[in-house]
């Protein structure tokens, strides 16, 4: 485990996310960052839908292929759904998010993709209960930062059909580490960012997702780890620095100028450290679970 440690620069901490709601930005820069993140994750995973997810065959003898209904929660730029639509062009695909401004205009989306507003902290609309063969969730780590995730997980359970699945892709902030081309490379700023991101264990719940999902009514929850190869270490590091920059800008907007300045200083120093051969690495996990019953 690499999560422990205390930050000498106490102004820089993701504990400052409390009260910010969505703690990042919603601009053209954030869209670029989200799209880059999607392509990097796809490169590491090698799949959109985890291989353990098996959809029931179609009941239509003239069309034996499965056409699952799929929801993408916190869909963001909707790129995950756009990719999935290539594999399931005749399926109903819904992107749900509290803010759809980062997604393409509906006129630019494949015809089987629909976007609609839904806040994971609000009740599930009756029209969406038990509607989906697969509910896909990605990167709620900051949305659920410092709150009990169980009520949200129970709402996600309501969306899934009996016999359907949830797939949750998330950051493993417990096992963050600094990778180096050799041990002699110094990276104090990146180490500071790692400790700030760990935030005294506030994101540890991610590794407890299998138990939390089972507690909410799912079954057979399984967690898999995915780390990037050395050829992608620099790309992931720079994407992480972009995330930190968005967080610092959000702090600045909310009057936390001193804390924002601490982050900006670390980002600048951390970039030079990555040029010199160090990188912040945050592994990813995918958790898959099934709702009991038959579809």
């Amino acid at each position: 485990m690499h999560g422990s440690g205390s930050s000498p620069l106490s102004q820089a901490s993701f504990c400052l996310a409390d009260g910010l709601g969505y703690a990042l930005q919603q601009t053209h820069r954030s869209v670029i960052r989200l799209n880059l993140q999607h392509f990097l994750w796809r490169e590491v995973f090698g799949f959109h839908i985890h291989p353990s997810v098996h959809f029931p065959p179609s009941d239509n003898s003239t069309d034996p292929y499965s056409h699952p209904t799929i929801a993408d929660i916190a869909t963001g730029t909707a790129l995950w759904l756009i990719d999935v639509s290539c594999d399931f062009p005749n399926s109903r695909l819904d992107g749900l998010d509290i803010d759809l401004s980062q997604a393409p205009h509906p006129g630019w989306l494949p015809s089987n993709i629909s976007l609609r507003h839904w806040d994971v902290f609000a009740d599930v609309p009756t029209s969406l209960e038990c509607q989906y063969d697969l509910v896909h969730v990605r990167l709620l780590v900051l949305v659920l930062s410092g709150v009990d995730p169980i009520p949200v997980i129970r709402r996600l359970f309501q969306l899934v059909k009996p016999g359907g699945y949830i797939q949750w892709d998330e950051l493993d902030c417990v096992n963050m580490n600094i990778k180096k081309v050799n041990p002699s490379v110094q990276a104090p700023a990146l180490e500071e960012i790692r400790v700030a991101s760990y935030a005294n264990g506030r994101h540890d719940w991610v590794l407890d997702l299998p138990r939390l999902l089972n507690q909410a009514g799912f079954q057979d929850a399984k967690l898999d780890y995915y780390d990037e190869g050395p050829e992608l270490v620099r790309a992931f590091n720079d994407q992480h620095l972009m995330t930190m920059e968005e967080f610092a800008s959000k702090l600045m907007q909310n009057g936390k100028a001193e804390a924002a300045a601490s982050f900006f200083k670390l980002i600048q120093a951390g970039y030079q450290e990555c040029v010199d051969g160090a990188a912040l690495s945050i592994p990813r996990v995918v958790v898959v679970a099934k709702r009991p019953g038959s579809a």
Side-chain angles (χ1 to χ4, degrees):
M1 295 295 192
H2 301 276
S4 61
S6 60
S7 170
L9 187 53
S10 59
Q11 290 293 336
S13 170
F14 269 83
C15 291
L16 294 165
D18 291 348
L20 294 183
Y22 182 66
L24 303 180
Q25 297 289 299
Q26 289 171 305
T27 68
H28 63 286
R29 291 181 182 274
S30 62
V31 170
I32 292 169
R33 189 261 307 166
L34 284 168
N35 287 340
L36 168 63
Q37 186 170 261
H38 169 77
F39 289 123
L40 289 173
W41 283 44
R42 187 176 70 179
E43 189 71 17
V44 170
F45 290 162
F47 58 79
H48 309 309
I49 298 174
H50 192 276
S52 65
V53 174
H54 301 290
F55 297 120
S58 171
D59 293 331
N60 188 340
S61 59
T62 62
D63 183 9
Y65 297 102
S66 178
H67 301 303
T69 54
I70 298 173
D72 185 32
I73 309 303
T75 195
T77 66
L79 264 188
W80 185 87
L81 271 186
I82 292 169
D83 275 351
V84 169
S85 72
C86 296
D87 297 326
F88 298 100
N90 298 313
S91 289
R92 170 189 167 189
L93 309 178
D94 291 345
L96 309 178
D97 208 327
I98 191 173
D99 187 324
L100 299 172
S101 63
Q102 298 182 107
H105 187 281
W108 288 332
L109 290 171
S111 59
N112 63 328
I113 293 180
S114 297
L115 303 181
R116 64 177 292 169
H117 292 89
W118 181 59
D119 181 353
V120 294
F121 295 106
D123 292 340
V124 174
T126 303
S127 61
L128 297 183
E129 291 183 3
C130 299
Q131 288 297 301
Y132 299 103
D133 296 295
L134 172 65
V135 168
H136 175 256
V137 187
R138 177 172 289 181
L139 285 170
L140 290 186
V141 65
L142 287 183
V143 174
L144 298 180
S145 183
V147 303
D148 180 6
I150 280 292
V152 170
I153 292 172
R154 286 177 176 150
R155 294 185 192 101
L156 297 175
F157 180 86
Q158 290 179 261
L159 297 170
V160 182
K161 291 179 180 178
Y165 295 84
I166 186 170
Q167 175 184 320
W168 195 317
D169 312 336
E170 199 55 86
L171 288 172
D172 171 11
C173 294
V174 175
N175 292 298
M176 289 183 292
N177 60 96
I178 307 300
K179 295 181 177 179
K180 301 178 180 181
V181 292
N182 63 69
S184 66
V185 175
Q186 299 298 304
L190 290 176
E191 174 62 19
E192 188 82 9
I193 292 173
R194 184 197 68 80
V195 173
S197 301
Y198 178 67
N200 297 320
R202 75 189 282 121
H203 309 309
D204 288 9
W205 61 268
V206 168
L207 298 190
D208 201 27
L209 268 174
R211 183 188 66 81
L212 295 173
L213 289 170
N214 288 338
Q215 179 182 329
F218 290 100
Q219 64 183 17
D220 303 326
K222 183 178 183 296
L223 182 150
D224 291 326
Y225 290 89
Y226 296 86
D227 199 4
E228 73 274 0
E231 72 283 355
L232 291 178
V233 165
R234 171 65 191 268
F236 271 101
N237 176 90
D238 290 346
Q239 183 258 303
H240 296 323
L241 292 183
M242 291 178 70
T243 304
M244 300 299 158
E245 195 170 58
E246 285 185 40
F247 182 62
S249 296
K250 187 79 169 206
L251 291 175
M252 183 71 75
Q253 290 175 4
N254 284 269
K256 299 180 179 180
E258 188 175 356
S262 297
F263 268 105
F264 283 128
K265 182 178 179 181
L266 288 175
I267 292 163
Q268 183 178 18
Y271 178 78
Q272 184 57 53
E273 291 171 2
C274 81
V275 172
D276 295 336
L280 173 65
S281 177
I282 309 179
R284 289 140 298 278
V285 298
V286 176
V287 183
V288 176
K290 191 171 185 179
R291 177 169 175 166
S294 300

